[in-house]
Amino acid sequence: MINFLILPILIPLVTGVLLIFDAKHIMLQRWIAGLSALITVIVSVLLVQKVNNDGIQTLNLSNWEAPFGITLVSDMVSALLVLTTSIIALACVIYSFRGIDEDREKFYFYAAVNFLIVGVNGAFTTGDIFNLFVFFEVMLMSSYVLIVIGGTKIQLRESIKYLLVNVISSALFVIAVAYLYSIVGTLNMAHISVRISEISEMGQPGIITVIAVLFLIVFGLKGAIFPLFFWLPGSYYAPPAPVLALFGALLTKVGVYSIARTYTLFFYQDGGFTQQLLTILAVISIIFGVIGAIAYWDIKKIVIYNIIVAVGVILFGISVMTPDSLTGAMFYLIHDMNIKAALFLLVGIMAAITGTSNLRKISGLIKRYPGLGWTFFLAALSLSGIPPLSGFVGKLLIIKGGFEAGHYWGAGIVLMSSLLVLFSIMKIFINGFWGTPRDYEGADKIPVKRMMAAPVILVAIAVFYGVGSEFVYPYISQAAETLANPSIYIDAVLKEY
């Protein structure tokens, strides 16, 4: 048991508190937020190495032994997601120095970002199902602040929808946890798995299936799977680019992670109805996401609908639940978090230059901004899964796992979605960067080179993640092994209990 794994939660928490007290001094806010994000990345890298060398790390808060107290657990799944979150947070903070106006920065922007990271990293690390709810609420309360900072009409309108959906999903979350506790008598996630296993040996009771579906509804609302993604396109369209990048890269992925964790740790015994339901919803999510991405001519909306496609692809890999599909799902989850953040930041730069996100009013950008154009091109290829970039390996393993499990139709749709995603994202590149250059009012005042630093870092990571997949594969396969074999997680948490 070590205290090291609490640092990616504690550092942004302390930073967020400090930033509240001096919100008007923007330069100081920037320095503190940037330094804190950098330290969190360094700590997260060391944590991944610690888990890789010494196995799953646990921390029993207040020294109450599991399953009686609150336990933080850092397995390779958690450690990799915390590292990815920390890198994205650093990139978005750096981008915000030039990519967001000072009026927003003065209204506790950097404090809210840090509290958001507390919630996300906490959700990835907690080993207690009720504290998963608590960290969800920390994350959501911070997102409520971020979605309304600036007070524009569209932000205020969409924030009502966003708030209402999340309040309902949070209420359902508490109900689901209460039902689960009434059956198993524990909140420790490893212990829940043991108790459900014991109950299932006497015959799978229908209430476990009902609870599994209820959790799917809760996390599906947060992760934006079909038919629960209705709130996402409008809500994510409203905030400025760095907030949109944080939301698109992190918030839905916390919902996806929660489905992955509960369905591989709690409900894996009921491999019939619930997994089949998850497979169907994942595939339909891919179809609707692709339709939206192709249909729109708004650069933000195109990338937003590609979030739904990615969620469907990842959840299909989880629902198939073969070693290859789980490895592919982990690979693709990390890839998508990184590349979505990069794309939203790049789209934000395009919108800042042109003053619009309507693709029909944009053309010829590559002549004046070649760095922006080719960086976007690399990001587009990576998103689509063109080898050897980062999207290829994960999607290949998911498709392979689908064929191995006999889910030919689902694997075929995942494969076809790659072509349609490529079409939707290349539509931005062809129409926005090629063609006759236009004159955009105020474009010369946009500090494009300084804003490009963050997305270039993320795209470079995406390229390395694909080209260097042989280097990262042992870490990903270790994470997938934890998902595929719940006993590894249970033994590490409960030890001799």
Side-chain angles (χ1 to χ4, degrees):
M1 184 176 73
I2 62 167
N3 292 319
F4 194 66
L5 60 90
I6 201 173
L7 290 180
I9 303 171
L10 192 61
I11 292 169
L13 176 61
V14 173
T15 304
V17 172
L18 290 175
L19 291 174
I20 288 175
F21 292 102
D22 199 10
K24 305 306 177 185
H25 291 79
I26 294 174
M27 286 305 299
L28 182 62
Q29 291 267 316
R30 291 174 179 175
W31 274 101
I32 294 174
L35 184 60
S36 170
L38 179 61
I39 293 171
T40 307
V41 170
I42 294 169
V43 168
S44 301
V45 171
L46 296 175
L47 181 59
V48 169
Q49 287 302 118
K50 180 71 174 176
V51 173
N52 184 55
N53 295 332
D54 301 332
I56 298 174
Q57 304 297 303
T58 63
L59 173 62
N60 297 321
L61 300 181
S62 301
N63 210 29
W64 281 84
E65 294 295 324
F68 305 108
I70 296 170
T71 304
L72 299 179
V73 184
S74 188
D75 60 353
M76 191 55 77
V77 177
S78 168
L80 288 174
L81 294 179
V82 166
L83 173 59
T84 307
T85 298
S86 302
I87 292 171
I88 291 168
L90 175 60
C92 291
V93 166
I94 292 172
Y95 181 93
S96 299
F97 296 163
R98 298 295 177 185
I100 197 168
D101 57 86
E102 291 189 2
D103 288 339
R104 284 187 167 103
E105 287 182 293
K106 289 179 181 178
F107 281 92
Y108 307 99
F109 172 77
Y110 293 109
V113 168
N114 275 275
F115 288 130
L116 182 80
I117 302 307
V118 171
V120 174
N121 283 346
F124 289 147
T125 307
T126 185
D128 182 284
I129 191 66
F130 185 77
N131 273 272
L132 179 61
F133 165 76
V134 172
F135 282 118
F136 258 108
E137 292 308 297
V138 173
M139 176 185 76
L140 290 173
M141 283 189 287
S142 306
S143 71
Y144 300 153
V145 176
L146 290 170
I147 202 171
V148 298
I149 282 182
T152 62
K153 184 177 180 180
I154 185 173
Q155 284 180 280
L156 296 175
R157 184 183 70 240
E158 293 299 334
S159 65
I160 298 298
K161 185 197 305 178
Y162 180 78
L163 181 66
L164 183 61
V165 166
N166 282 291
V167 166
I168 292 171
S169 69
S170 296
L172 290 174
F173 197 168
V174 174
I175 293 169
V177 171
Y179 273 128
L180 184 62
Y181 182 77
S182 71
I183 299 297
V184 299
T186 182
L187 295 171
N188 182 281
M189 292 166 71
H191 199 211
I192 289 171
S193 180
V194 172
R195 297 299 296 271
I196 290 178
S197 209
E198 291 170 354
I199 293 169
S200 296
E201 287 175 2
M202 299 179 287
Q204 179 77 19
I207 188 63
I208 297 296
T209 301
V210 172
I211 293 170
V213 173
L214 190 54
F215 271 109
L216 181 58
I217 293 171
V218 170
F219 298 140
L221 267 170
K222 298 180 186 296
I225 66 172
F226 176 85
L228 306 172
F229 62 76
F230 60 89
W231 58 271
L232 184 137
S235 297
Y236 279 20
Y237 187 85
V243 177
L244 175 55
L246 284 169
F247 283 16
L250 302 180
L251 299 196
T252 53
K253 303 311 183 297
V254 176
V256 170
Y257 162 80
S258 301
I259 293 173
R261 182 65 83 187
T262 54
Y263 269 63
T264 57
L265 189 61
F266 298 172
F267 307 121
Y268 64 92
Q269 293 95 345
D270 183 18
F273 174 75
T274 51
Q275 286 186 14
Q276 186 177 8
L277 177 62
L278 183 58
T279 303
I280 293 169
L281 294 180
V283 172
I284 298 176
S285 297
I286 295 171
I287 294 170
F288 273 80
V290 164
I291 292 171
I294 293 172
Y296 278 95
W297 281 82
D298 186 290
I299 54 177
K300 286 186 182 180
K301 285 283 181 73
I302 292 170
V303 184
I304 287 170
Y305 273 96
N306 272 299
I307 295 174
I308 300 167
V309 178
V311 167
V313 170
I314 296 163
L315 291 180
F316 176 77
I318 292 166
S319 69
V320 171
M321 221 169 279
T322 65
D324 279 336
S325 72
L326 289 172
T327 304
M330 270 304 302
F331 227 110
Y332 201 80
L333 174 58
I334 295 170
H335 144 79
D336 192 69
M337 291 170 70
N338 180 72
I339 206 64
K340 283 295 192 309
L343 280 168
F344 280 123
L345 295 181
L346 291 167
V347 162
I349 296 172
M350 292 175 65
I353 292 169
T354 62
T356 181
S357 59
N358 186 341
L359 192 54
R360 290 191 172 96
K361 298 179 181 179
I362 305 172
S363 68
L365 286 176
I366 202 165
K367 185 173 182 179
R368 294 175 185 171
Y369 307 97
L372 173 62
W374 294 117
T375 303
F376 186 92
F377 181 71
L378 274 177
L381 294 183
S382 183
L383 177 71
S384 308
I386 302 299
L389 299 175
S390 60
F392 173 72
V393 178
K395 195 167 284 187
L396 178 66
L397 289 170
I398 290 172
I399 292 168
K400 182 182 176 185
F403 282 129
E404 287 173 352
H407 292 280
Y408 303 112
W409 58 279
I413 289 174
V414 171
L415 184 60
M416 285 296 298
S417 72
S418 298
L419 298 175
L420 296 174
V421 166
L422 179 62
F423 172 79
S424 71
I425 207 72
M426 290 305 291
K427 182 168 69 174
I428 298 176
F429 182 74
I430 293 169
N431 291 278
F433 288 96
W434 295 119
T436 304
R438 303 188 187 189
D439 292 323
Y440 301 103
E441 185 178 350
D444 295 336
K445 298 178 182 179
I446 305 300
V448 175
K449 291 183 179 179
R450 295 182 181 182
M451 294 170 71
M452 280 294 296
V456 165
I457 290 170
L458 294 176
V459 172
I461 291 171
V463 172
F464 169 77
Y465 190 59
V467 175
S469 57
E470 189 174 345
F471 171 77
V472 299
Y473 186 83
Y475 297 91
I476 302 294
S477 61
Q478 185 178 336
E481 186 180 5
T482 306
L483 293 175
N485 300 300
S487 59
I488 299 173
Y489 183 95
I490 293 167
D491 292 343
V493 175
L494 298 182
K495 297 182 176 70
E496 291 156 11
Y497 171 75

